[in-house]
Amino acid sequence: MLNREDLISKPVFLNQGEVEAKRAEIKAYFNATYDAYETLFETLVSDEAYYERPCELRHPLIFYFGHTATFFTNKLVLAKLLPERINPKIESMCAIGVDEMSWDDLDESHYDWPSVDAVREYRQQVRDAVNQLIDSVDFHLPIDWESPMWPVMMGIEHERIHLETSSVLIRQLPIESVKPHPLFPVCPDSGQAPENILFDVPGGRVTIDHQDPAETYGWDNEYGQHQADVSDFKAAAFLVSNHEYLEFVEAGGYDNPEYWTDEGNRWRQFTPDKHPTFWVKKDQAWYLRCMTDEIPMPWDWPVEVNYLEANAFCNWKGHQTGRPIRLPSEDEYLRLRDHTRALEKQGEANINLQQYASSVPVNRFETGDFFDVVGNVWQWTQTPIYPYDGFKVHPLYDDFTTPTFDNQHNLFKGGSWISTGNEANGHSRYAFRRHFFQHAGFRYIESDESVQTHFSTYETDDLVSQYCEFHYGDEYFGVANFAQAYAELAIKAARDDNDLAGRDDLSVLEVGCSVGRASFELAHHFAQVTGLDFSARFIQVANQLKESGNVLYTIPTEGEIMDFKEQTLADLGLSDVAQRCEFMQQDAANLKPHFTGYDMVVAVNLIDRLYEPKRFLNMIHERMNDGGLLLLASPYTWLEEFTAKEHWLGGYKDAQSGENVTTLEGLHAVLDAEFERVQEPFELPFVIRETQRKFQHSLSEVTLWKKKS
């Protein structure tokens, strides 16, 4: 039986101890995390509550209930630590769609959600598999990015993030859909709010040098080097309380566009509320919606708002006082934290579920002149998240941070009452869209210094930059642009086909679209283009091009010397058709069910990079209209790094006959039941630039197939 003490996480140190003791410690940490997450859902009054949308920009809670277990399965399969998937149907439904990214489709008609009991059973199967893995996996200390225990820690810390984000979604459900829980008590204390005052914070240098291996688990954005010299500033002693924020509400702050940014005004017009979203007015009295309760307004608790509201309050406060009031930058927050040595007193703060399952008064936890430097609620900063020098993505989770390097996700710092594990780590860096709600408030500062709020981030990841150049860069050795060339082949095939010729309503699915060039080219002929890729980094580039029309990236010339490049859709004649395209992250071997009804499917240089290519080929006819076309191309470079040998389509000797099996023969063996090949295979060349003097020159065999009616 879980108790309050079980909810309080203790850090797992990855660089010290003995292997077997560490194995037992990680196993206990995993099961405590799993229990805590499942206990959180006991606050729902019924199974029906799992299917309510707490927010129109998020999935219902059934998705999140299954998502954290799915994450374990996906990452452990990818790391080759689990031999196969556990429940492909649930895993296709619950893998992707956490944030309201532009490639996330939140049309609920597309989702046939599993039952709660089915997800509970699935979660138990995943628990058993992970426990068995922890018991048996061979590892050594320190546990670093290369360790087989790292993806286990990744899954645990991912679930602890969702312990917090799911608590926010539960808080956004109708009050009738939730119930109090003894393990999540609300603070009973409130009183008169203190008057906020500003104290000096001396300037100083902020230095980050966080490298792998580290003492505790960290997400990719925490690693690297960063230095900043912070000038003197003044900071509010307290987080802004509900009472202090009430002045802004009563002064008509929500009705005055002068206090809001352009983005803030768009959000202000979108939302009907003229007050914080967790404030509830009943019988002319204010109440506060906590996770499972509505209580009379505790005016001395911190207000909880999104970034846009916090920024508008600061603009209003500055107008009222005639002083340069604003939110702190990330560096200014870190300087305040260093100055107060707040991390040393974190064990006494309202964080890590060690106090209550709610905020507490803003004048309770003191560090020097300041209160709640860590804990109570997250604190918004003016800084959009950006990569430190030396930033690298972890290959098992390339979409944790990179999609947020868009100047639209702002950092918040310090943690909330339910921030546990890595969230309560002094190195953590979390960022959310500015209109999103978490258990987040703010502290304002007084400073004349400007804050950088836009980062022109060049894509520096080697593989992504290489593919940006491959798709959008120069031609080499007289070989035509490959993405453009195979898109033209697909368009010609559609124009020449008796069933498709002359139609202006055609739809095409490109699976393995990479950074999107061919999808944009296909939009010259197809009315609807859907591009899918397993890599969130590739999809991010495609979506960035669709939205902004340009991409910045670096390519190596020699050694550490880089060339900086910018490419635009306008220069390539693609800007007029870009809006016909949509790009989403998907696993080609486990597509969500709503990707259907296509007149053509294009899959180029894909099949020899899938972990189970037959799974993809066996189901692709289900996604196509009768008479539709399937264009495949591949250099057939089968490697066990990507595809276990038993799943190769060709390139091996038959175990019984000893005869060679080619990939073309393998394609026929899989596809002939549903397709007929409509022309002879032929080769299409491509060149990938690695450096100024090193290139890959390859040939991809193109085959065209027609689905039988």
Side-chain angles (χ1 to χ4, degrees):
M1 182 70 180
L2 203 67
N3 57 51
R4 283 284 299 164
E5 289 302 313
D6 295 325
L7 295 176
I8 300 171
S9 79
K10 300 175 180 60
V12 176
F13 296 109
L14 304 180
N15 62 345
Q16 57 186 259
E18 300 296 329
V19 166
E20 292 310 313
K22 192 60 58 178
R23 187 190 306 276
E25 184 182 1
I26 291 172
K27 185 174 183 178
Y29 189 49
F30 163 68
N31 284 290
T33 302
Y34 222 72
D35 288 341
Y37 192 64
E38 292 181 349
T39 301
L40 183 72
F41 285 80
E42 293 176 9
T43 61
L44 303 183
V45 297
S46 65
D47 284 1
E48 286 71 25
Y50 282 83
Y51 301 93
E52 294 186 64
R53 291 278 293 279
C55 167
E56 64 186 72
L57 300 178
R58 297 289 186 97
H59 284 310
L61 280 157
I62 189 66
F63 168 87
Y64 298 92
F65 192 47
H67 171 69
T68 57
T70 292
F71 184 93
F72 272 108
T73 305
N74 286 344
K75 300 310 177 189
L76 294 175
V77 167
L78 193 61
K80 298 180 172 59
L81 294 170
L82 286 182
E84 59 185 1
R85 294 189 173 279
I86 293 172
N87 186 319
K89 182 177 180 181
I90 288 178
E91 287 152 4
S92 73
M93 296 294 291
C94 296
I96 299 167
V98 174
D99 195 6
E100 166 231 356
M101 298 300 182
S102 56
W103 59 84
D104 180 29
D105 183 354
L106 286 173
D107 181 349
E108 286 305 301
S109 64
H110 289 160
Y111 294 93
D112 180 19
W113 297 113
S115 69
V116 177
D117 284 342
V119 177
R120 288 191 182 113
E121 180 181 356
Y122 171 68
R123 285 187 60 85
Q124 184 60 49
Q125 292 173 315
V126 173
R127 184 197 288 258
D128 293 342
V130 176
N131 273 311
Q132 183 177 359
L133 174 63
I134 295 172
D135 285 340
S136 60
V137 70
D138 184 27
F139 72 99
H140 58 79
L141 296 171
I143 297 170
D144 59 11
W145 277 29
E146 303 299 322
S147 171
M149 197 61 87
W150 189 265
V152 175
M153 290 299 301
M154 179 183 287
I156 296 170
E157 294 297 346
H158 171 265
E159 188 153 57
R160 287 193 172 268
I161 291 175
H162 281 285
L163 179 69
E164 175 154 353
T165 57
S166 294
S167 75
V168 177
L169 296 176
I170 290 169
R171 191 177 183 183
Q172 291 178 295
L173 284 173
I175 193 67
E176 299 81 15
S177 300
V178 298
K179 61 186 177 183
H181 194 287
L183 294 188
F184 299 102
V186 174
C187 176
D189 305 324
S190 66
Q192 185 173 353
E195 181 180 353
N196 218 342
I197 52 177
L198 292 153
F199 287 108
D200 290 327
V201 179
R205 173 163 289 193
V206 169
T207 301
I208 305 293
D209 187 8
H210 191 50
Q211 305 296 336
D212 177 53
E215 186 177 58
T216 56
Y217 180 88
W219 299 108
D220 54 12
N221 63 58
E222 301 168 22
Y223 293 90
Q225 305 85 36
H226 171 69
Q227 279 194 350
D229 291 315
V230 177
S231 301
D232 296 350
F233 62 95
K234 295 178 182 293
F238 306 106
L239 298 173
V240 172
S241 66
N242 287 314
H243 185 269
E244 186 173 10
Y245 196 85
L246 179 66
E247 299 175 44
F248 173 64
V249 174
E250 293 184 336
Y254 280 80
D255 294 314
N256 191 333
E258 293 183 9
Y259 302 133
W260 301 77
T261 62
D262 290 343
E263 181 184 357
N265 274 310
R266 290 195 299 273
W267 175 81
R268 187 176 59 85
Q269 293 159 7
F270 167 79
T271 180
D273 295 333
K274 305 300 180 186
H275 55 76
T277 194
F278 297 122
W279 287 17
V280 180
K281 202 161 197 178
K282 297 190 294 186
D283 300 326
Q284 302 305 307
W286 286 110
Y287 287 75
L288 181 68
R289 169 63 189 271
C290 299
M291 188 170 74
T292 60
D293 302 88
E294 285 179 359
I295 63 174
M297 181 62 71
W299 293 112
D300 58 342
W301 290 15
V303 71
E304 291 157 291
V305 291
N306 64 26
Y307 168 87
L308 302 172
E309 293 169 293
N311 187 67
F313 174 93
C314 290
N315 291 337
W316 169 80
K317 189 80 172 179
H319 183 265
Q320 295 295 110
T321 61
R323 297 149 75 180
I325 300 296
R326 60 170 171 80
L327 294 171
S329 67
E330 181 187 25
D331 289 330
E332 286 163 337
Y333 169 83
L334 294 174
R335 180 63 197 135
L336 172 63
R337 193 185 68 184
D338 291 347
H339 170 63
T340 58
R341 302 171 70 175
L343 289 178
E344 297 176 15
K345 298 187 71 174
Q346 186 163 290
E348 303 168 17
N350 187 25
I351 197 170
N352 197 26
L353 282 168
Q354 61 200 13
Q355 305 293 339
Y356 295 98
S358 73
S359 299
V360 301
V362 297
N363 55 358
R364 177 163 295 185
F365 295 108
E366 181 179 5
T367 48
D369 293 328
F370 301 92
F371 293 76
D372 294 324
V373 177
V374 296
N376 222 358
V377 293
W378 291 95
Q379 301 172 46
W380 285 107
T381 76
Q382 272 202 312
T383 306
I385 191 168
Y386 65 94
Y388 288 151
D389 292 341
F391 167 81
K392 297 178 181 179
V393 296
H394 194 285
L396 292 181
Y397 198 1
D398 67 354
D399 55 337
F400 181 79
T401 303
T402 50
T404 66
F405 292 149
D406 58 2
N407 296 300
Q408 297 179 41
H409 290 72
N410 274 49
L411 287 151
F412 52 28
K413 309 294 289 185
S416 78
W417 50 268
I418 196 172
S419 300
T420 67
N422 171 266
E423 291 178 303
N425 182 325
H427 293 289
S428 65
R429 300 176 83 215
Y430 290 91
F432 274 83
R433 289 179 181 264
R434 291 185 278 263
H435 61 268
F436 263 33
F437 293 98
Q438 291 298 116
H439 307 297
F442 65 103
R443 180 193 313 275
Y444 53 84
I445 72 166
E446 179 184 335
S447 173
D448 286 313
E449 295 291 322
S450 61
V451 176
Q452 184 174 355
T453 58
H454 184 87
F455 295 85
S456 296
T457 306
Y458 277 82
E459 178 57 69
T460 58
D461 178 86
D462 290 344
L463 185 63
V464 179
S465 295
Q466 186 180 91
Y467 273 79
C468 285
E469 180 67 7
F470 181 37
H471 278 231
Y472 300 100
D474 298 328
E475 293 183 3
Y476 299 99
F477 307 109
V479 176
N481 181 281
F482 182 64
Q484 185 179 28
Y486 74 75
E488 289 174 352
L489 289 174
I491 291 171
K492 183 179 186 303
R495 285 175 173 160
D496 292 345
D497 184 83
N498 290 334
D499 294 322
L500 305 184
R503 286 176 51 191
D504 60 5
D505 61 344
L506 296 176
S507 63
V508 61
L509 174 69
E510 184 183 8
V511 188
C513 68
S514 184
V515 292
R517 171 69 182 272
S519 291
F520 289 125
E521 296 284 353
L522 289 166
H524 281 303
H525 182 72
F526 291 85
Q528 178 187 348
V529 182
T530 301
L532 307 179
D533 202 277
F534 186 74
S535 170
R537 293 175 290 168
F538 288 166
I539 290 296
Q540 181 190 13
V541 171
N543 272 304
Q544 178 184 330
L545 276 157
K546 177 184 173 181
E547 297 303 321
S548 68
N550 74 312
V551 64
L552 305 168
Y553 60 94
T554 61
I555 55 174
T557 55
E558 56 182 270
E560 297 179 348
I561 302 173
M562 294 289 172
D563 189 15
F564 294 80
K565 302 195 73 170
E566 178 178 9
Q567 303 292 354
T568 70
L569 292 184
D571 288 343
L572 299 170
L574 297 171
S575 55
D576 291 342
V577 296
Q579 295 309 308
R580 295 184 180 183
C581 301
E582 60 176 352
F583 297 98
M584 300 177 224
Q585 183 192 12
Q586 283 287 296
D587 179 352
N590 199 27
L591 296 179
K592 286 185 176 180
H594 63 266
F595 293 110
T596 65
Y598 295 98
D599 299 299
M600 189 170 194
V601 172
V602 175
V604 172
N605 291 5
L606 173 74
I607 58 172
D608 58 354
R609 289 300 178 264
L610 296 178
Y611 58 90
E612 287 189 43
K614 286 183 182 177
R615 181 195 290 266
F616 167 70
L617 294 172
N618 278 326
M619 65 79 190
I620 198 61
H621 69 278
E622 300 171 0
R623 314 303 177 128
M624 301 173 61
N625 297 326
D626 289 345
L629 295 177
L630 171 64
L631 187 146
L632 299 176
S634 171
Y636 307 149
T637 51
W638 297 102
L639 296 171
E640 291 189 88
E641 174 187 356
F642 302 104
T643 313
K645 199 165 185 178
E646 62 266 25
H647 295 308
W648 291 7
L649 294 177
Y652 62 88
K653 289 185 178 293
D654 183 87
Q656 295 181 336
S657 68
E659 297 297 322
N660 295 333
V661 178
T662 68
T663 303
L664 183 60
E665 291 170 331
L667 288 173
H668 274 286
V670 178
L671 294 176
D672 280 354
E674 302 291 342
F675 293 88
E676 59 178 341
R677 204 185 76 216
V678 296
Q679 64 181 40
E680 287 299 309
F682 63 93
E683 292 178 339
L684 189 67
F686 63 91
V687 173
I688 296 178
R689 179 194 190 279
E690 293 186 17
T691 70
Q692 187 172 346
R693 297 176 181 84
K694 185 181 179 185
F695 299 81
Q696 301 175 31
H697 188 173
S698 307
L699 299 174
S700 195
E701 184 171 86
V702 180
T703 56
L704 184 65
W705 310 76
K706 187 173 179 64
K707 183 182 175 182
K708 298 176 182 177
S709 297

